[in-house]
Amino acid sequence: MALDIEKLEKIIRLEMADNYQDHKVYRGLAAFIHNWTRDAITRHLTLPEKELVEKVADNLTDYARMSVLERARAIQEVLDLTAGSKSANGNGNGGTPAVRTLDPIPTRPVSAPPNPPPLSSSASPAKPAVWPDQRPSAIVRQSVRVVAPDPETPAPARQPAPANTPAAVVDLGAKLTTVKGIGETYAKLLSFAGLNTIHDVLYYFPFRHEDFSSFKKINALMYGQTESVVAQVLETVTKRTYGGKEMIEVTVADDTGRLSCIFFNRRMTYGLKTGSQVVLSGRVDEWNGRICFKAPSYEAADRELTSTGRLVPVYSTSGPLKLATLRKLIKTVVDRYAAALPEHLPAAIRERHHLVPLAQAVKDYHFPASLAVREKARQRLAFDEFFLVQLGVLLKRHEWQEERPGIPFEINQSLLEAWKDALQFKVTSFDPETKEPLEEMRKLELTGAQQRAIADILGDIQKDRPMNRLLQGDVGSGKTVVGATALLMAVANGFQGALMAPTQILAEQHFQGLSRLFEKLEESEYFQKLGLKVRLELLTGNVRKKEPVYRRIRDGEVDIIIGTSAVIEEVVEFHRLGLVIIDEQHRFGVRQRKALRGKGANSASNAEGANPHLLVMTATPIPRTLNLTVYGDLDLSLMNEMPPGREPIQTKWVMPPERNGAYKFIRKQINEGRQAFIICPLVEESDKIEAKAAIEEHDRLQREVFPDLKLALLHGRMKPAEKDLVMHQFRERQYDILVATSVIEVGIDIPNATVIMIEGADRFGLSQLHQFRGRVGRGQGKSYCLLLAGEELSQVGSERLRAIEKTNDGFELAEIDLQMRGPGEFFGTRQSGVPDLKVAGINDVNILEAARAEAIQLFEQDPGLKEVPHQLLSTKVARLWSLEGDLS
């Protein structure tokens, strides 16, 4: 057996005709050369033939990494070698008649014999299912376009053309209509997916890949496997199912047998013309006792594969844009313009972390040659996302802390000790005979976590750089006391403090809680000697614009302003704002947070324009990955201890048949003098529909289940004054049960409530369920959470309920929730101002930490990214963020 030189020449001449674009051979010319040389060395070659094989391999193995000119030279050298080999042997086939040539692909249909043998459903029949009196090669012959690659040896990754090629000067912001092959119609279809420019398409990444890279002969197909076959279409027959539905059966064949492809939509078969050669990919299924493909993907065998025979990208689609069309259009853009992407990552960073060039990563992540190639591309793109996010948060931190000075506070240690001694909390117990509630005040002992957080904050506010700190604590961990300590220090230094909460109910609760704390402080001997008075004011949306409160704030007659987003309205002017506290900050938009911070720099008596200190508080435990992205510009204080006396809340998953037992348990708690919450399920994202569900459930419970008890109702469609009245009455025990929607998720503090029942618990995320559960267990004694799920429970819903039943640790639940839902659902990153992560995953902690370390190091060398080598990087950061506001 001698060399198949004619096959080699045919392939490389196809490549020449395609202007050396490396598109004509599946997985690239280098993959073909690998297979060709591997096949060659198994033959009995003469010494000159062995030398020829070595020279061909030397010239073309690195073809993917070459420029167009280098590719042209390499191919010409190979053609010269093969021509010389033919001349030396005196004939056109290398001097030996054993050289194999390719038969032409049939251009007309091949007629099937009258009674072909049935195709065995066995994976490996003893004999191939071939038709009598026909050579297998006459049935179908594999095109050179789809030479099946070696599955164990991935081809070298394709490299983009270097920047000196014509593609490098392309305007990536150009409209898609400038791309050859994309006219107005296709451009309009792409706009449904938000794709309007070349850059948009390059960065519109697939969310997964179908692995159709395994090629098999038809007689080797195995049920349940995902495979690709190269076959010829024999016939198309329309049938009817037993239910009367139209079914189209397309029969295809290769030289080992036949295969049925089943479709239930005629339009899906329009490309399967009788006699055509196709590549089909799909999961091997069963139909009438025989293996088949059900609605497989397919493409013509003589064209470049995009939807079959490879790792096939799967993209999100919308409107009338079909996935196959989208995939082909993206392939067109990626092939032509990925090489034009400028490299923004410094070479030293790429080398340290073994990252592939950007252009190669983008191309390989869309259309990878193998799983290994895709992972290398994904790592580069994930590093990019994290790196640019980290640079963005560092830039925001730099702007906040460096462009304007902070306000250094002096810490009065005597006042601080007097404050700690005056801290008390209310304890509610019950008379064992009368069941009446008994209240007493006890001294509050700070937990170790609270003391560490206070030390962090006091250390920050003594500096002339504005504090930028996140106080992250689980439900009931005592964040309010820590925030109040910071507010006290601001007032003691002659400044105002502002606390902004997301809802009126939470703002009022903060106002009442802080008022009680400071009242106890004013009763202390040291405080009376000092003569310091803390004046608080509540500011919500129902305060009219002409109220005197606005004048008092402007004139400095109010020390601490607590409110909702009404605090940042234009009418509000501060006298001397020195500290800003934002509670549950992810519920505020970027511009809202920026506006509140700006109130300090524009205070009436702040001539130096200093920035106030900023403390962000959240009761939502955040996993480490999101902490370093969403809150990457903030210093972190973690509070993971509960105050003494707080017992874990006992949580139980209640099945539908146990509902009456849950009602009896609630009644038992109420008979003992306690109160209860019943949460209605979130039917859909609509206050109106949610309110309707709550009203109907309240009426049902009052009428059928608890007719002798007093039930209150709270939902998002009620007016603020109505909500306030209901909460006040419930807190004063005028009601036994509060039926509510998710409006009570955050902040409501009713120490006497000991049981919460959550209807449709499987419809909520773990984080939200944990917040609901935190509405009880705020007093002394045992509290309970009952989770009622629907009858048709999904696997994800079951996993959530099992997880929250198992642990009270909010941080552990946050990690589980992030794994289940992903960062987009877990935490509104767009609402928080952080760019969406398209490629990076929640488990890429190592990549994140490496990117963060590199970003910090680069920023230390060039704060602001103003040096010439970093200008492109600065542009990328600005483009990614595209924000006017800040992060925190």
Side-chain angles (χ1 to χ4, degrees):
M1 299 177 66
L3 289 178
D4 191 351
I5 293 177
E6 187 171 339
K7 181 176 181 179
L8 172 65
E9 289 182 335
K10 184 173 181 178
I11 293 296
I12 60 179
R13 290 190 187 281
L14 284 171
E15 177 64 14
M16 292 173 67
D18 194 40
N19 295 320
Y20 310 101
Q21 294 301 305
D22 204 16
H23 297 161
K24 284 297 183 182
V25 182
Y26 173 66
R27 295 177 66 191
L29 183 62
F32 168 76
I33 295 300
H34 170 81
N35 290 331
W36 185 84
T37 54
R38 187 185 62 175
D39 178 65
I41 61 177
T42 63
R43 303 168 183 263
H44 299 289
L45 301 180
T46 63
L47 182 59
E49 287 173 335
K50 290 181 181 178
E51 291 177 351
L52 174 63
V53 171
E54 291 175 0
K55 290 177 181 179
V56 169
D58 288 343
N59 275 281
L60 297 179
T61 296
D62 291 329
Y63 188 81
R65 297 179 175 85
M66 298 177 185
S67 68
V68 173
L69 292 177
E70 290 171 334
R71 290 175 178 180
R73 283 196 295 267
I75 280 182
Q76 189 57 53
E77 288 180 16
V78 170
L79 288 176
D80 291 344
L81 288 168
T82 57
S85 174
K86 293 176 183 178
S87 299
N89 288 281
N91 62 60
N93 286 330
T96 171
V99 174
R100 178 171 56 88
T101 61
L102 291 180
D103 293 337
I105 297 172
T107 57
R108 57 185 176 83
V110 178
S111 301
N115 296 301
L119 179 65
S120 170
S121 60
S122 170
S124 301
K127 294 183 179 180
V130 297
W131 300 332
D133 302 321
Q134 273 193 299
R135 290 189 306 115
S137 60
I139 301 174
V140 65
R141 193 165 306 282
Q142 184 166 311
S143 163
V144 295
R145 232 329 263 114
V146 289
V147 174
D150 174 18
E152 298 180 358
T153 309
R158 299 187 198 175
Q159 297 281 356
N164 59 359
T165 61
V169 296
V170 171
D171 176 14
L172 297 180
K175 296 293 184 182
L176 289 173
T177 49
T178 63
V179 178
K180 184 178 180 181
I182 299 181
E184 292 289 347
T185 301
Y186 279 146
K188 186 174 181 180
L189 287 173
L190 289 167
S191 69
F192 284 103
L195 305 178
N196 299 298
T197 68
I198 295 172
H199 186 277
D200 291 342
V201 173
L202 292 176
Y203 276 87
Y204 192 73
F205 293 121
F207 60 87
R208 64 183 173 88
H209 286 82
E210 295 276 10
D211 190 355
F212 292 153
S213 60
S214 174
F215 278 90
K216 290 286 179 66
K217 291 291 187 179
I218 288 177
N219 73 338
L221 294 177
M222 296 182 64
Y223 177 79
Q225 299 296 312
T226 299
E227 306 286 4
S228 295
V229 300
V230 183
Q232 186 178 55
V233 179
L234 296 182
E235 62 176 350
T236 299
V237 179
T238 301
K239 301 179 180 180
R240 292 284 175 180
T241 64
Y242 290 118
K245 189 175 181 180
E246 184 180 67
M247 182 195 80
I248 299 92
E249 181 177 7
V250 179
T251 302
V252 300
D254 65 6
D255 56 0
T256 68
R258 296 180 301 163
L259 178 68
S260 292
C261 301
I262 308 299
F263 298 88
F264 292 95
N265 185 333
R266 181 171 294 278
R267 286 180 298 178
M268 296 177 66
T269 68
Y270 286 167
L272 293 170
K273 304 299 182 184
T274 302
S276 62
Q277 287 202 126
V278 291
V279 179
L280 303 106
S281 297
R283 184 175 180 273
V284 183
D285 215 316
E286 182 269 339
W287 183 265
N288 288 338
R290 295 179 294 136
I291 60 172
C292 71
F293 276 153
K294 288 184 179 177
S297 300
Y298 62 87
E299 292 177 284
D302 59 349
R303 297 180 183 176
E304 184 179 12
L305 303 182
T306 59
S307 298
T308 59
R310 60 176 302 149
L311 284 172
V312 175
V314 182
Y315 301 92
S316 297
T317 59
S318 58
L321 183 61
K322 302 299 182 184
L323 177 58
T325 303
L326 174 61
R327 188 181 292 126
K328 289 179 180 178
L329 294 174
I330 289 178
K331 185 73 163 61
T332 297
V333 174
V334 169
D335 285 347
R336 292 181 186 173
Y337 301 108
L341 284 166
E343 181 59 74
H344 57 266
L345 203 59
I349 294 178
R350 297 203 313 270
E351 291 171 4
R352 273 196 293 273
H353 300 283
H354 309 290
L355 300 173
V356 299
L358 176 63
Q360 178 186 338
V362 169
K363 192 171 185 178
D364 286 346
Y365 195 65
H366 280 286
F367 297 95
S370 67
L371 292 172
V373 168
R374 184 187 67 173
E375 180 57 22
K376 291 290 287 184
R378 194 195 71 81
Q379 288 179 8
R380 164 62 204 264
L381 296 172
F383 186 95
D384 262 22
E385 289 185 337
F386 284 140
F387 187 65
L388 295 175
V389 166
Q390 294 306 314
L391 286 176
V393 297
L394 291 171
L395 276 169
K396 297 301 178 184
R397 183 187 183 96
H398 177 75
E399 292 170 4
W400 173 246
Q401 293 192 327
E402 302 296 336
E403 293 186 358
R404 288 184 176 178
I407 305 167
F409 291 167
E410 291 184 6
I411 306 302
N412 186 327
Q413 291 295 335
S414 299
L415 175 61
L416 187 61
E417 293 304 318
W419 163 252
K420 291 180 179 179
D421 288 339
L423 289 175
Q424 296 183 353
F425 68 103
K426 185 187 295 185
V427 177
T428 303
S429 57
F430 294 86
D431 188 291
E433 296 181 0
T434 66
K435 307 296 183 184
E436 288 295 317
L438 304 174
E439 295 181 348
E440 62 175 310
M441 299 302 294
R442 294 182 186 175
K443 187 176 185 311
L444 177 63
E445 297 292 340
L446 298 177
T447 65
Q450 285 176 309
Q451 294 184 47
R452 288 190 295 272
I454 289 173
D456 290 341
I457 292 168
L458 297 183
D460 288 345
I461 62 179
Q462 294 180 73
K463 299 174 183 177
D464 58 1
R465 296 172 60 185
M467 174 174 66
N468 210 35
R469 183 167 291 277
L470 167 65
L471 179 61
Q472 180 183 332
D474 207 344
V475 178
S477 59
K479 296 181 298 298
T480 303
V481 170
V482 176
T485 305
L487 289 168
L488 176 62
M489 292 299 110
V491 174
N493 279 269
F495 287 89
Q496 293 171 306
L499 190 157
M500 186 165 72
T503 65
Q504 182 163 327
I505 291 175
L506 187 53
E508 290 179 350
Q509 186 170 291
H510 277 308
F511 178 76
Q512 293 165 0
L514 290 174
S515 296
R516 286 196 298 268
L517 287 173
F518 287 120
E519 282 172 7
K520 291 298 177 183
L521 179 63
E522 290 175 7
E523 295 173 4
S524 69
E525 182 179 343
Y526 178 83
F527 197 91
Q528 292 177 352
K529 185 189 300 183
L530 195 64
L532 185 65
K533 185 172 180 63
V534 180
R535 300 162 295 184
L536 290 82
E537 192 72 57
L538 178 65
L539 191 62
T540 58
N542 55 5
V543 177
R544 288 179 295 184
K545 298 292 186 287
K546 295 184 179 180
E547 291 285 340
V549 61
Y550 296 105
R551 179 195 57 78
R552 294 200 300 270
I553 294 172
R554 184 178 62 251
D555 293 346
E557 297 175 10
V558 177
D559 300 307
I560 298 175
I561 299 88
I562 302 164
T564 59
S565 56
V567 173
I568 61 175
E569 292 182 0
E570 288 186 13
V571 69
V572 180
E573 294 181 40
F574 289 90
H575 177 69
R576 203 179 183 203
L577 182 61
L579 174 67
V580 170
I581 299 180
I582 300 176
D583 194 20
E584 294 301 331
Q585 81 118 16
H586 62 280
R587 291 172 174 259
F588 293 105
V590 175
R591 289 178 178 81
Q592 291 174 302
R593 299 194 295 269
K594 183 181 180 182
L596 181 55
R597 297 170 80 164
K599 293 285 185 181
N602 299 320
S603 295
S605 61
N606 187 3
E608 65 275 19
N611 274 330
H613 296 289
L614 173 70
L615 178 64
V616 172
M617 301 196 304
T618 180
T620 304
I622 305 169
R624 177 171 176 77
T625 313
L626 292 185
N627 246 333
L628 293 179
T629 50
V630 176
Y631 291 134
D633 65 329
L634 298 173
D635 298 313
L636 177 64
S637 291
L638 197 62
M639 292 175 53
N640 52 4
E641 294 179 45
M642 300 301 288
R646 289 277 179 94
E647 290 190 42
I649 300 168
Q650 185 173 332
T651 305
K652 180 176 175 56
W653 175 4
V654 180
M655 303 301 289
E658 301 173 301
R659 176 183 295 274
N660 289 334
Y663 290 148
K664 290 179 182 178
F665 182 79
I666 291 173
R667 181 179 291 279
K668 179 175 180 295
Q669 289 289 304
I670 292 172
N671 289 339
E672 293 177 358
R674 313 297 172 88
Q675 292 168 281
F677 293 102
I678 296 179
I679 309 302
C680 294
L682 181 66
V683 178
E684 58 181 81
E685 292 292 340
S686 166
D687 283 345
K688 185 176 181 179
I689 296 177
E690 189 179 9
K692 182 176 183 293
I695 293 170
E696 292 174 352
E697 180 67 2
H698 171 269
D699 292 345
R700 186 189 73 82
L701 290 170
Q702 183 71 83
R703 185 179 62 255
E704 300 177 9
V705 184
F706 303 112
D708 55 326
L709 301 180
K710 296 177 181 178
L711 276 65
L713 174 65
L714 190 69
H715 59 75
R717 301 283 288 185
M718 296 170 65
K719 295 179 180 179
E722 294 174 328
K723 294 179 187 176
D724 298 342
L725 178 61
V726 169
M727 285 308 306
H728 174 76
Q729 292 172 336
F730 188 60
R731 190 177 289 115
E732 295 300 316
R733 304 187 185 93
Q734 295 181 30
Y735 290 101
D736 303 305
I737 299 173
L738 178 62
V739 180
T741 63
S742 57
V743 70
I744 71 138
E745 176 187 348
V746 175
I748 292 178
D749 188 5
I750 311 292
N752 190 48
T754 57
V755 59
I756 183 168
M757 186 173 83
I758 305 172
E759 291 274 6
D762 55 305
R763 299 184 185 180
F764 298 101
L766 267 177
S767 179
Q768 197 172 20
L769 288 173
H770 185 59
Q771 291 292 329
F772 285 144
R773 179 167 62 182
R775 297 312 101 217
V776 297
R778 306 182 77 84
Q780 299 294 304
K782 193 73 176 174
S783 290
Y784 307 87
C785 176
L786 307 178
L787 306 170
L788 268 72
E791 294 183 3
E792 296 183 3
L793 194 60
S794 67
Q795 181 179 352
V796 173
S798 301
E799 290 174 0
R800 284 180 187 154
L801 299 186
R802 275 193 289 268
I804 197 167
E805 190 179 36
K806 181 181 177 181
T807 180
N808 275 269
D809 188 333
F811 293 95
E812 181 181 348
L813 290 172
E815 294 286 353
I816 297 171
D817 200 20
L818 182 62
Q819 293 282 348
M820 288 183 178
R821 297 198 292 164
E825 284 187 68
F826 175 89
F827 200 80
T829 51
R830 182 163 296 282
Q831 172 71 1
S832 72
V834 176
D836 290 333
L837 300 176
K838 299 179 181 179
V839 176
I842 56 178
N843 295 318
D844 291 324
V845 179
N846 292 338
I847 298 177
L848 169 59
E849 291 180 340
R852 181 170 174 79
E854 290 288 0
I856 292 171
Q857 182 178 339
L858 180 64
F859 208 80
E860 288 174 351
Q861 298 170 3
D862 179 16
L865 302 178
K866 296 177 181 178
E867 295 179 4
V868 174
H870 302 145
Q871 287 180 355
L872 179 58
L873 195 56
S874 179
T875 302
K876 288 285 291 186
V877 173
R879 177 170 188 150
L880 179 69
W881 285 85
S882 62
L883 299 175
E884 296 177 5
D886 56 13
L887 297 185
S888 49

